[in-house]
């Protein structure tokens, strides 16, 4: 390999991804070429820096992650009309029911009279006696 | 007597037929690796966590297309890698001026770390590395992350990125050369 070809192989050589023949050729060249040995050293240091900068594992447990994923899977499994019913119809129904209950429970103006009817009773004619 | 472990392929088959328990077990087994991949590739904890969740959701939607030709782990890893690649490509389009303004400081920090990697000031700022990596083309950044931070072989990276081993080799070589050039540009060729 030429000097330039060796330089192009340095990255793969450091990763241990060259076949044995190519790897030997690179190793031999590095033993006598300060420029390429210097470049290999820089690439090695770059790898160290990148590895050390790798983010640590997320401390939150796997189980809570599983729960979050499955919650999203479940919501995706709900049919669109069911989502509509849950989001729009149910709250609308609840408001309507609350309004009806409120109307029924409101106190009437004439508390003693049957709802909506005003009656006067002729007590004497019913009972035969004066009140 | 220990309960026999159900193979991933069988769990995937059951999950494709609506068995959520089977899919939850697949998530449990493969979450650490997918989360680590997203974290190493994307950096930001919120974005990485969301990407990891979305990767599993994509896998769930695609269960009907899992043939078992590759292992479930490989198939899932490929989905996560592609999802991260999509995010990186979108990020390149959105990159802000403030990121460019930090280039000199970041590249200088890298240069000093390369000159004295064993010193107490060796680069430990993950944000600096993340910003420098974000300047690389997405495919190069991803290949470098899979190699340096996940320790994958070229063959494994090629499978995950759906490209040839030669492409992996070229991407890694260019990514490393680009980072070294950035460092040299700001601290000088005598230092790096």
């Amino acid at each position: 390999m030429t000097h330039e070809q060796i330089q192009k192989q340095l990255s793969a050589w450091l990763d241990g991804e060259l076949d044995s023949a190519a790897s030997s050729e690179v190793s031999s060249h590095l033993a006598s070429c300060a420029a390429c040995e210097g470049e290999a050293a820089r690439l090695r240091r770059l790898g160290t820096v990148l590895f050390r900068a790798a983010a640590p594992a997320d401390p939150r447990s796997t189980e809570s992650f599983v729960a979050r994923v499955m919650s999203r899977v479940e919501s995706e499994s709900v049919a669109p009309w069911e989502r509509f019913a849950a989001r729009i119809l149910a709250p609308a129904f609840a408001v309507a029911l609350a309004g009806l209950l409120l109307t029924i429970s409101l106190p009437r103006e004439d508390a003693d009279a049957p709802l909506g009817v005003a009656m006067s009773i002729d007590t004497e004619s019913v009972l035969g006696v004066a009140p | 007597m220990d309960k026999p472990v159900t193979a991933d392929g069988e769990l995937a088959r059951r999950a494709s037929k609506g068995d959520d328990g089977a899919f939850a077990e697949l998530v449990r087994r493969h979450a650490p690796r997918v989360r680590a991949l997203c974290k190493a590739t994307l950096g930001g904890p919120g974005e990485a966590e969301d990407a990891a969740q979305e990767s599993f959701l994509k896998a769930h939607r695609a269960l009907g297309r899992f043939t078992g030709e590759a292992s479930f782990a490989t198939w899932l890893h490929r989905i996560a890698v592609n999802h991260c690649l999509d995010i990186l490509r979108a990020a390149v389009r959105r990159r802000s001026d403030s990121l460019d303004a930090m280039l000199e400081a970041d590249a200088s920090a890298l240069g000093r770390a390369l000159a004295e990697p064993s010193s107490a000031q060796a680069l430990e700022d993950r944000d600096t590395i993340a910003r420098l990596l974000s300047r690389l083309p997405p495919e190069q950044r991803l290949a470098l992350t899979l190699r340096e931070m996940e320790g994958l072989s070229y063959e494994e990276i090629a499978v995950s990125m759906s490209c040839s081993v030669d492409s992996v080799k070229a991407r890694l070589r260019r990514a490393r050369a680009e980072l070294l050039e950035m460092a040299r540009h700001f601290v000088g060729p005598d230092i790096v």
Side-chain angles (χ1 to χ4, degrees), chain B residues 9-28:
Chain B
E10 174 58 21
L11 288 173
R13 190 192 66 78
R14 292 182 201 168
S16 71
K17 296 195 185 317
D19 185 344
D20 282 353
F23 190 71
E25 178 58 25
L26 286 169
V27 176
R28 193 171 289 114

Side-chain angles (χ1 to χ4, degrees), chain A residues 64-125:
Chain A
S64 62
F65 178 84
V66 173
R68 288 192 297 279
V69 170
M70 293 315 295
S71 170
R72 291 179 68 176
V73 164
E74 194 179 325
S75 71
E76 281 197 359
S77 302
V78 172
W81 73 264
E82 286 177 290
R83 272 203 292 274
F84 174 76
R87 252 191 259 147
I88 308 294
L89 290 186
F93 179 72
V95 166
L97 184 60
L100 181 61
L101 290 172
L102 191 63
T103 304
I104 292 171
S105 68
L106 275 174
R108 295 183 297 278
E109 199 173 308
D110 182 352
D112 294 329
L115 187 68
V117 176
M119 287 176 66
S120 62
I121 300 176
D122 184 345
T123 312
E124 191 170 354
S125 60

Side-chain angles (χ1 to χ4, degrees), chain B residues 30 33-38 41 55-56 59 71-84 142 145-147 150-153 156-162:
Chain B
H30 299 283
R33 191 181 181 208
V34 170
R35 293 170 86 191
L37 165 67
C38 294
T41 306
S55 297
F56 279 105
S71 72
F72 182 82
T74 299
W75 181 77
L76 173 65
H77 195 253
R78 200 179 300 151
I79 290 173
V81 161
N82 282 330
H83 186 63
C84 287
L142 192 50
T145 301
L146 293 174
R147 175 64 206 173
E150 279 221 331
L152 297 190
S153 69
E156 288 168 331
I157 296 171
V159 168
S160 291
M161 295 186 71
S162 302

Side-chain angles (χ1 to χ4, degrees), chain A residues 17-87:
Chain A
E17 292 278 350
L18 293 183
D19 62 43
S20 55
S23 181
S24 295
E25 199 170 341
V26 171
S27 300
S28 300
H29 179 85
L30 291 183
S32 59
C33 179
C36 287
E37 174 54 42
E39 185 67 5
R42 280 185 287 275
L43 288 169
R44 218 177 268 119
R45 289 200 294 271
L46 178 62
T48 302
V49 167
L50 291 174
F51 180 74
R52 274 205 252 133
D58 195 304
R60 285 181 293 178
S61 74
T62 297
E63 278 313 311
S64 62
F65 178 84
V66 173
R68 288 192 297 279
V69 170
M70 293 315 295
S71 170
R72 291 179 68 176
V73 164
E74 194 179 325
S75 71
E76 281 197 359
S77 302
V78 172
W81 73 264
E82 286 177 290
R83 272 203 292 274
F84 174 76
R87 252 191 259 147

Side-chain angles (χ1 to χ4, degrees), chain B residues 8 11 13 18 31 36 54 70 78 81 128 132 145 148 150 168 172 176 186 188:
Chain B
D8 281 356
L11 288 173
R13 190 192 66 78
E54 193 58 38
R78 200 179 300 151
V81 161
T128 300
L132 286 169
T145 301
E148 299 289 4
E150 279 221 331
V168 172
L172 286 172
R176 287 160 171 160
F186 289 102

